[in-house]
Each structure stands twice: as C-alpha cells, then as structure tokens.
Amino acid sequence: RQRGGPLPAPRQPRREERRLRRQINHQNLPTEARLSKCVSATCSPVSVKSGDRFIPTRAGSNWSINFHYANENCRSPSQNHKSKDATSDSSKDAVAYAALLRNELLGAGIETVPDPHTDDRRHAVLSQGPHSLFRYTVHAKRVPFDSDNEISPYSLSPLSNKSHKLLRSPRKPARKISKIPFKVLDAPELQDDFYLNLVDWSAGNLLSVGLGACVYLWSACTSQVTRLCDLSVDGDSVTSVCWNERGSLVAVGTHKGYVQIWDAAGGRKLTSLEGHSARVGALAWNGEQLSSGSRDRVILQRDVRTLPSAERRLQGHRQEVCGLKWSPDHQHLASGGNDNKLLVWNSSSLLPVQQYSDHLAAVKAIAWSPHQHGLLASGGGTADRCLRFWNTLTGQALQSTDTGSQVCNLAWSKHANELVSTHGYSQNQILVWKYPSLTQVAKLTGHSYRVLYLAVSPDGEAIVTGAGDETLRFWNVFSKTRCTKESKSVLNLFTRIR
C-alpha cells in the first residue's frame, strides 16, 4: 500500500469458519447457561421434564390376567354352548404353551399341565395377588445342580427348572369321539312323540324298539332282528318299552293303558296288567317291581312275581307322567311330568318326599348318577331347555345350564363322571358333558328330527339314539380305558337293515 494511504477493509470469514466458531463458543458456556438459553429460545408452552428418556408405567397392568385371557381356552359364557373338542391334541398343546409362558414371564411355578376341562384353573389365575413383572431381585446363593430347585449350571436350555418339570409331566392321552355313527338302522314307523319311550337296551345286548303296533328285538351280537309282539290284532299300539335288570323280561306299555310282560328268550307273553285309563308312556323296573306312568297322571307300582297283587298308586302329578327312573340304590323313584314338575318318591310313602318346580316345560329327561349318591339330573322341554342337577339328600338345587334346545333324554356314563343328552327343537343334536364343570366334550349331529330316544349299551361304551326321521344311530361316546386308539368292532360298518 502507499505510505499514508487508507487501510484495506478486513476480509469476511467464510461460512464454515463462522459455524465452527459458534460451536466452540457454545461448548465453552457453562451447563446452566446452555439450559437457560435453550429454555428461553423455545416457543412451546410445555414444560421440560427431567430425564433424557420416557419410561412407561406398568403399575396398572395385571399380566397374569392378560396372559390368561389370551389363552384360547378362556371363553365367554355365550361361547360355552358351542361345540368344541376340549381333549384334542392342539387344545392341550395350547394349554401347555400358556403355562410355559406364565412360568417364564411371570414366575408362576406351574409343574403340571392343567386339565382344559376344569374351570378351577380360571379362578386360580384370577385369584392371584398383585405381581410385579419388573423388579430388582437379589440372587441367592446357588445350590448344587442336583437339587430339586435348580438345574445344572452346564445346561444350555434357557428354560427354568419349573418349566422343565412342566414339559416332562405326564399328559393324559386325548380321547377322540367320532362325530359319525358306527351303525345306522332303519326304524320305520318310529313315532315322533316327545312323551313316549320306545327304545331300550338290555343287559343281554338286545335292543328293543317299539315301531307302530309291534316290538322288535335286534341283537347287537348277531345283528338278527326278530318280532316279539304285534298289538294290531287288538287295535292297540306300543307307547313304551323297558327291560328288567337281568335282561330276561321286557315290559311293553300300550296306548290303551295296558302293561304287558314278555319273556324275550321264549317269545311269549307272561301277563297283561290293567289299571291305567290312558296310554302308558313311562316304565321303570326296580328289581321284581315294575312302575308305570300314564297320561291319567297316576304312577302304579306292582310286583310281577305275585300277580295279581296289591298295587301302590302314587298320585302327585297334574298332567301326563312322561319320565320314570329308579335310583341305583333302589330306594327312590324320580318322576317327571308334563306339569313341569320333578318329584322324588321313596319306597314306602304314597306322597312325594321332594318336589322340584324350577323347570319351565315338561320334564321327560331324568337320570340318576351312578358315581355320586343322591345326585339327580333332569332336563326340560322346549320352553325350558335347561339341564338341572339336584342333591336329593338335602333337597337343594346344585347347578344348571341352558342347552339352547329341547332336552329329550339323559344318560350317565358308567365309567366316568360324564353324561350325554339328546335334544330336539331346534338343533336336534347329541351333547356329551363333563360333570361338574358342565364342559361340552363333544357335539354329535346327524338326525334330521328330534332325538327323542336314547339307550346305553350294557358295556357302557356305546349309545343308540332314535328320532322321528325313522333311524337308529349308534355312537361310541364313552370309554372304559380312556385310550386314544379306538377298538375295531365287527359292527363298525355303515349298514342299514329293515
């Protein structure tokens, strides 16, 4: 520059240099100054929370209940009436998996796979106290690996010892119930009448069926069909059939009010009992004594060994008697009528000792439990649709369930605490129940009319059902051994005979 001339203007710093200078100056400020500067520079009215991250609170979450309701076996009450095979392999695998999750995530300590049929599992889970999922714990000193409370330190499995015991626990094999009958027989002229009882299975493996004016016997061993009697010569028809306990005599109730006793082996009529003024729709043997219920509202009890003998007249129903069953100990008789009443009689009194009036329709379906003394099950007609259970020792009602359709017949399993019910309007289905949970084990369909008739085989494994569609269908629903393998039978064919 020239001597004495003006000084040149300073150069403007580059953009990068200015950015670096601002960063250096900001880093040299104290922490409080930086925080106040940031707060003053913001325009949002939201206050700044302490901490550098957000941790959600889980204090109100009950993980036990949430995981329990995620299980497919926890169903709403409206779903309990839907058919579901609760003993299937997939269902039990789901229960085991849910128990494994609760062990690993919640520390539940479950060592055995719960039974999917029991409802107590639900209440046990719901009754658990508050449990913190995220918490700090102090690990105790490890015990030797061969202890029951610890697994080997060299194990590569991520599961806890409780889960190992859960996976090694024995599991009951699934019992599969076939949804199709193993035999179907034609039954022409099988009446579609709710108040009749036209099918019974004897201890000698003979099936008696009332078809119109005739009674036919079908042998489950040889499949032979024989005609026992024909009432058309007297202008009468069959309204009920019932075998005695030994399976040698069959009682036949008629439309005119007679009760005939027939020798099945000899094919001859032993006697004909009078006393009723209307059709006899219900029969029940008690040793050598025979009880008969009629549309004349009277129950007659007579000893077939000393005929003619004095009869006991039991009068308590106001309409037709349509159901009769003696208890397994031969001490009490249960009767159901079209007056919606269920009555219990003893062997000495002429008046009912108990009366139940909870049903809203005719009570035809009656069954005494062979497993629990004094337990009685009953089912109501179309306006009721309920299964009800009674403790006849105390006279108390135990429990009930709405089946959704008319209950036509009931029968208990001889080997397990289960029972089968047949239904009419409007689903015409056959249901297998587990007691006392009242879980539906199986739902069988096939009849196109009301399933009015039901009988159990002498071995207690099979049942036969009859309906107004004029067919008899045989089903394997109960099992002695609870094994998964179904035994092959010579009757395991779809055959139809007349």
Side-chain angles (χ1 to χ4, degrees):
R1 65 183 175 85
Q2 297 178 0
R3 184 184 300 267
L7 294 175
R11 291 183 307 168
Q12 296 293 330
R14 296 179 180 179
R15 182 178 302 176
E16 292 80 2
E17 293 180 357
R18 292 197 301 269
R19 181 173 57 81
L20 290 175
R21 288 177 183 176
R22 284 198 301 268
Q23 290 181 356
I24 294 174
N25 295 335
H26 180 74
Q27 291 178 358
N28 292 334
L29 290 175
T31 304
E32 295 79 0
R34 289 201 307 267
L35 181 59
S36 60
K37 184 176 181 180
C38 293
V39 173
S40 60
T42 182
C43 299
S44 174
V46 180
S47 60
V48 179
K49 297 183 179 180
S50 60
D52 58 347
R53 53 191 181 129
F54 172 70
I55 301 178
T57 175
R58 296 178 175 89
S61 300
N62 192 331
W63 290 86
S64 299
I65 296 179
N66 292 343
F67 272 100
H68 174 71
Y69 281 135
N71 189 355
E72 66 175 2
N73 291 283
C74 182
R75 298 173 293 174
S76 63
S78 61
Q79 293 173 323
N80 284 332
H81 303 304
K82 296 183 179 179
S83 174
K84 181 178 180 180
D85 189 357
T87 58
S88 62
D89 293 334
S90 59
S91 176
K92 288 202 170 185
D93 290 342
V95 175
Y97 181 67
L100 187 66
L101 283 180
R102 287 196 291 271
N103 273 358
E104 297 302 313
L105 299 179
L106 308 175
I110 303 174
E111 297 184 3
T112 58
V113 179
D115 187 359
H117 276 149
T118 57
D119 290 340
D120 295 336
R121 175 174 56 85
R122 178 186 307 176
H123 301 296
V125 174
L126 295 178
S127 61
Q128 292 179 356
H131 186 74
S132 178
L133 181 64
F134 303 102
R135 66 184 186 277
Y136 293 100
T137 58
V138 179
H139 294 281
K141 184 178 180 180
R142 296 176 65 90
V143 295
F145 70 91
D146 57 346
S147 172
D148 292 338
N149 299 323
E150 195 64 53
I151 60 177
S152 171
Y154 306 104
S155 174
L156 299 179
S157 174
L159 301 179
S160 64
N161 188 42
K162 298 290 185 181
S163 297
H164 278 282
K165 289 184 178 181
L166 173 68
L167 297 177
R168 291 194 301 264
S169 64
R171 298 175 58 183
K172 292 182 180 180
R175 177 171 61 94
K176 297 181 180 179
I177 298 178
S178 176
K179 299 301 179 64
I180 55 178
F182 66 86
K183 194 175 188 66
V184 180
L185 303 180
D186 275 347
E189 298 185 56
L190 185 61
Q191 298 186 49
D192 184 26
D193 194 326
F194 177 79
Y195 300 98
L196 306 186
N197 293 274
L198 298 175
V199 177
D200 198 18
W201 208 329
S202 75
N205 218 6
L206 285 176
L207 188 70
S208 62
V209 186
L211 301 178
C214 301
V215 174
Y216 291 89
L217 303 181
W218 177 80
S219 173
C221 301
T222 63
S223 296
Q224 288 184 341
V225 179
T226 59
R227 188 175 66 181
L228 179 65
C229 64
D230 188 354
L231 306 182
S232 61
V233 294
D234 300 325
D236 209 346
S237 62
V238 181
T239 54
S240 58
V241 294
C242 184
W243 289 94
N244 67 344
E245 295 179 6
R246 293 196 301 268
S248 57
L249 303 178
V250 57
V252 179
T254 73
H255 184 78
K256 291 185 176 181
Y258 296 101
V259 178
Q260 300 181 1
I261 309 298
W262 285 78
D263 179 10
R268 61 190 181 93
K269 182 173 67 174
L270 301 180
T271 185
S272 180
L273 306 178
E274 300 178 355
H276 289 292
S277 59
R279 70 179 182 185
V280 179
L283 295 168
W285 288 88
N286 185 25
E288 301 299 331
Q289 295 182 345
L290 177 62
S291 300
S292 56
S294 170
R295 181 183 272 181
D296 61 11
R297 303 168 294 178
V298 177
I299 301 173
L300 296 182
Q301 186 172 336
R302 292 167 280 203
D303 194 327
V304 299
R305 295 171 298 180
T306 58
L307 295 173
S309 62
E311 62 185 18
R312 296 179 65 240
R313 298 178 63 89
L314 307 180
Q315 295 178 322
H317 288 283
R318 296 182 178 180
Q319 293 190 38
E320 179 174 6
V321 180
C322 51
L324 283 178
K325 285 294 172 61
W326 278 95
S327 61
D329 59 0
H330 307 285
Q331 298 300 315
H332 293 88
L333 172 67
S335 64
N338 197 32
D339 54 358
N340 309 345
K341 298 293 190 298
L342 174 65
L343 305 182
V344 178
W345 316 75
N346 59 22
S347 56
S348 58
S349 175
L350 297 179
L351 296 176
V353 294
Q354 292 176 2
Q355 176 174 320
Y356 304 103
S357 306
D358 292 3
H359 284 290
L360 304 177
V363 182
K364 176 193 176 185
I366 302 173
W368 292 89
S369 171
H371 312 291
Q372 185 175 341
H373 180 61
L375 176 60
L376 177 63
S378 61
T382 307
D384 184 72
R385 306 182 307 274
C386 289
L387 281 181
R388 300 184 184 274
F389 298 85
W390 318 90
N391 184 350
T392 60
L393 302 180
T394 61
Q396 295 178 343
L398 297 178
Q399 56 192 125
S400 66
T401 181
D402 190 346
T403 65
S405 57
Q406 177 187 41
V407 184
C408 301
N409 252 309
L410 285 174
W412 288 86
S413 168
K414 298 179 180 179
H415 312 292
N417 208 11
E418 297 176 348
L419 71 160
V420 59
S421 60
T422 65
H423 299 267
Y425 302 126
S426 60
Q427 301 182 35
N428 305 326
Q429 80 272 35
I430 303 162
L431 299 178
V432 182
W433 306 82
K434 188 174 181 64
Y435 186 82
S437 64
L438 295 183
T439 305
Q440 287 186 19
V441 180
K443 177 181 179 180
L444 310 176
T445 57
H447 286 289
S448 57
Y449 281 69
R450 297 181 295 175
V451 189
L452 297 176
Y453 310 111
L454 169 68
V456 183
S457 64
D459 61 2
E461 295 187 6
I463 64 170
V464 59
T465 57
D469 55 9
E470 298 185 347
T471 62
L472 296 176
R473 298 173 185 265
F474 295 78
W475 316 79
N476 280 318
V477 296
F478 298 131
S479 175
K480 288 183 179 180
T481 58
R482 299 282 189 179
C483 62
T484 55
K485 296 182 180 179
E486 295 183 356
S487 59
K488 298 294 182 180
S489 172
V490 294
L491 298 178
N492 197 10
L493 298 173
F494 286 91
T495 59
R496 301 172 68 92
I497 63 175
R498 285 188 186 269

